[in-house]
Amino acid sequence: MATLARLVRSPRVAVWLIVALSVYVGLVTAIPQESMLPDRHAAWVAEGSPLVSVARAVGADRAYTNPLFLLIAAALTLSTGVCAWDRSRRALRTWRERGMVTEALRARLDARPDAEATVDMDVEMAQEKAARALEGLHLKARRGPSLMYAEAGAWGLLGSPLFHWSMVVLVVVVGLGQLTRWEGLLGVPSTGTVVEEAGSYREFDSGSLALPHTGWSLSIASVDESKSIGDVYYGVTPRITLSDGERVLAEQEVHPNRPLRYGPLLVHLSDYGLAVRVKAIGPDGESSGTSNQIIDFDEMTESGTVPSQFAVIDDAGITVAEVAVAVSARDRAGALPRMKPPGKVILIDSVLSDGSKTSVRVAVGEPVELGGGWTIVAEEMGYYARLSVVRDWSVYWIYGLLGLITVGVIIALGVPYRFVWVRSVADPDGGSRVAVVTGQSRRDPVFRSRVTDALAAMPARRASPADPKPERDDDVMEDE
């Protein structure tokens, strides 16, 4: 048990755990994760190479639920938590003992001061001169009859505990965030509205304690077909509206590196394509409903798009026709500009209930006869945005904790706690004998030299700087 406690408290073990975690994350980034990239993962598995078999055997394609990853993360969290506790106790003890005359201090002043000298002035003047010298080094001095204490950067004692506790909380928040988050892809057409609910997603991944869906609506307010900012060209860029009923929650253009953020939701633009709103009209001339068909661009097809299929069903539940809608999106040269083409470009293929087939090319608004008095019409053509929607409450916490970690490092390294004790006693041969003890949380020898150099400027009859001696751990707190 004592060995385990030493390992948990060891900074070297913590460093090796960080290295192991970094190497692990670096390796798995080259492997398509089953939950995050299902299509790429399936293609990767189909390769059937020995490396793929080994990676799957050790669970590298489920990297962040892998027991190895969880073990490393848990060990690092425990090590960091113990370190944070130890450093917090040490910082608190140092804070409480600031300016206290302890037996350890008396022993150092008597037996092993950092510097000592005999000066040609009385004790009161020696203390006054020493105080001015230390204030010149931006130390705040508290004078006594024969003993003086000066310090600076006491609040720097907070730096190391702040850094370590922020690290602990960060790991916990990331873990809880992974358990409660969900992420998926959904298509939002400019010709309609999509409700954020489970059935709207084409691909979806969630943690074991995933938060519920919001039920909010996503729609496209407008589309800029040639968006550019400065010298950066973004092309087709949708303006996404997030609504709760009639109330607009957020609205902005979404393009790479500029997602829409609202509360726990993060909405990225993954891709875009075309959208066609199709209306079916029955024999009585009444509409039986509309549907928004989203159509992806594809360099491999003759039309340049992938057909979207749906069924026209009558009131009795009988299928009138199976319909596939595509768009002829290539230009005259055969190139695919990935833009909404003008004119008679909507391709509608139908398989009727009697087995007969029809293929027509129409423009927006032209009806297509299906037989039996049924017709369909493409009412509108526009774009659709394929959005990656993430619900993750931990994102803002992670940003805040990373900020606290940075602040902790800056404080610990840039504002170290520094103190000086000066004791002056009358010398039997005349003048005063001055002894100096210094300390700094980073154990910087330059600070000791600056203090002794400043005090050496005092008129001295016999000066004898003491040999520098290493400070003990119980004399001053040290940061990693």
Side-chain angles (χ1 to χ4, degrees):
M1 197 67 181
T3 302
L4 178 60
R6 284 196 301 272
L7 288 174
V8 169
R9 283 182 162 83
S10 171
R12 183 174 297 178
V13 171
V15 170
W16 279 113
L17 286 171
I18 292 172
V19 170
L21 192 64
S22 300
V23 170
Y24 179 89
V25 172
L27 290 175
V28 300
T29 54
I31 298 173
Q33 297 300 301
E34 185 175 12
S35 61
M36 300 168 64
L37 301 167
D39 294 338
R40 286 183 56 190
H41 179 269
W44 174 73
V45 171
E47 294 175 7
S49 70
L51 288 177
V52 171
S53 300
V54 172
R56 296 198 71 195
V58 299
D61 57 341
R62 301 180 300 279
Y64 302 108
T65 57
N66 191 318
L68 176 61
F69 170 78
L70 297 176
L71 179 62
I72 296 173
L76 180 58
T77 303
L78 178 61
S79 177
T80 307
V82 171
C83 185
W85 176 258
D86 288 344
R87 290 184 175 275
S88 298
R89 289 198 311 167
R90 189 182 300 179
L92 181 59
R93 184 188 66 190
T94 303
W95 181 275
R96 287 175 175 173
E97 292 180 356
R98 290 165 45 241
M100 292 178 57
V101 182
T102 63
E103 290 302 321
L105 172 66
R106 292 184 186 278
R108 287 190 63 186
L109 287 169
D110 290 337
R112 51 188 187 92
D114 296 326
E116 56 184 350
T118 301
V119 297
D120 289 322
M121 60 188 74
D122 60 22
V123 170
E124 184 178 354
M125 181 58 69
Q127 289 291 87
E128 182 63 28
K129 289 286 188 180
R132 291 180 182 177
L134 295 175
E135 287 169 352
L137 297 177
H138 307 292
L139 297 168
K140 185 177 180 181
R142 289 188 287 176
R143 300 171 178 83
S146 62
L147 197 60
M148 177 175 56
Y149 170 74
E151 69 172 12
W155 60 280
L157 292 168
L158 299 174
S160 181
L162 177 63
F163 168 79
H164 285 86
W165 282 118
S166 297
M167 284 287 293
V168 173
V169 177
L170 176 65
V171 175
V172 173
V173 166
V174 169
L176 290 176
Q178 290 297 312
L179 288 173
T180 57
R181 79 191 296 274
W182 50 253
E183 177 178 5
L185 290 175
L186 55 77
V188 178
S190 61
T191 55
T193 299
V194 174
V195 177
E196 195 288 296
E197 58 188 9
S200 300
Y201 289 90
R202 293 171 55 182
E203 297 174 7
F204 191 75
D205 179 51
S206 63
S208 56
L209 301 175
L211 296 171
H213 291 276
T214 63
W216 295 337
S217 299
L218 289 156
S219 60
I220 297 178
S222 61
V223 176
D224 188 337
E225 295 186 331
S226 56
K227 178 70 176 180
S228 61
I229 301 176
D231 296 331
V232 181
Y233 179 73
Y234 293 102
V236 174
T237 301
R239 187 175 188 84
I240 303 297
T241 301
L242 180 67
S243 305
D244 183 8
E246 298 296 323
R247 183 167 65 97
V248 174
L249 303 176
E251 183 178 294
Q252 72 168 58
E253 287 185 328
V254 177
H255 54 71
N257 300 322
R258 191 169 188 265
L260 183 151
R261 303 174 187 271
Y262 183 81
L265 282 192
L266 192 64
V267 181
H268 296 269
L269 177 64
S270 175
D271 202 352
Y272 71 94
L274 298 175
V276 178
R277 186 173 72 231
V278 180
K279 179 170 67 174
I281 302 173
D284 57 359
E286 297 293 329
S287 171
S288 65
T290 61
S291 63
N292 292 289
Q293 304 301 311
I294 58 176
I295 300 169
D296 289 311
F297 294 108
D298 190 344
E299 290 283 358
M300 303 303 295
T301 62
E302 181 179 354
S303 65
T305 61
V306 179
S308 177
Q309 299 181 341
F310 66 99
V312 178
I313 301 174
D314 63 16
D315 294 338
I318 299 173
T319 300
V320 176
E322 297 283 350
V323 181
V325 179
V327 176
S328 180
R330 296 188 184 275
D331 60 19
R332 292 182 179 179
L336 183 60
R338 290 173 59 89
M339 301 286 287
K340 182 178 70 175
K344 204 167 185 174
V345 294
I346 301 175
L347 308 174
I348 298 180
D349 295 331
S350 306
V351 179
L352 306 183
S353 57
D354 60 3
S356 60
K357 300 179 181 180
T358 62
S359 295
V360 296
R361 178 191 290 256
V362 297
V364 172
E366 291 185 36
V368 177
E369 299 289 341
L370 297 179
W374 283 85
T375 61
I376 58 172
V377 58
E379 289 190 311
E380 184 181 351
M381 181 171 65
Y383 290 97
Y384 95 90
R386 187 190 302 167
L387 301 177
S388 172
V389 183
V390 182
R391 182 170 189 178
D392 189 348
W393 59 268
S394 67
V395 172
Y396 296 104
W397 283 87
I398 290 172
Y399 288 154
L401 289 165
L402 289 174
L404 288 178
I405 289 170
T406 303
V407 170
V409 171
I410 291 173
I411 291 175
L413 298 180
V415 192
Y417 168 54
R418 308 179 298 281
F419 69 87
V420 178
W421 285 96
V422 180
R423 184 179 66 182
S424 300
V425 296
D427 187 69
D429 298 330
S432 302
R433 191 166 187 79
V434 180
V436 179
V437 168
T438 65
Q440 200 241 33
S441 59
R442 296 297 303 168
R443 293 192 178 180
D444 182 6
V446 174
F447 172 67
R448 180 179 297 175
S449 299
R450 291 178 64 196
V451 171
T452 55
D453 289 346
L455 295 176
M458 297 168 59
R461 187 167 73 245
R462 294 189 304 275
S464 57
D467 294 333
K469 300 178 178 63
E471 296 165 354
R472 298 176 302 179
D473 288 343
D474 58 353
D475 292 330
V476 61
M477 188 190 75
E478 178 191 16
D479 289 328
E480 285 183 352

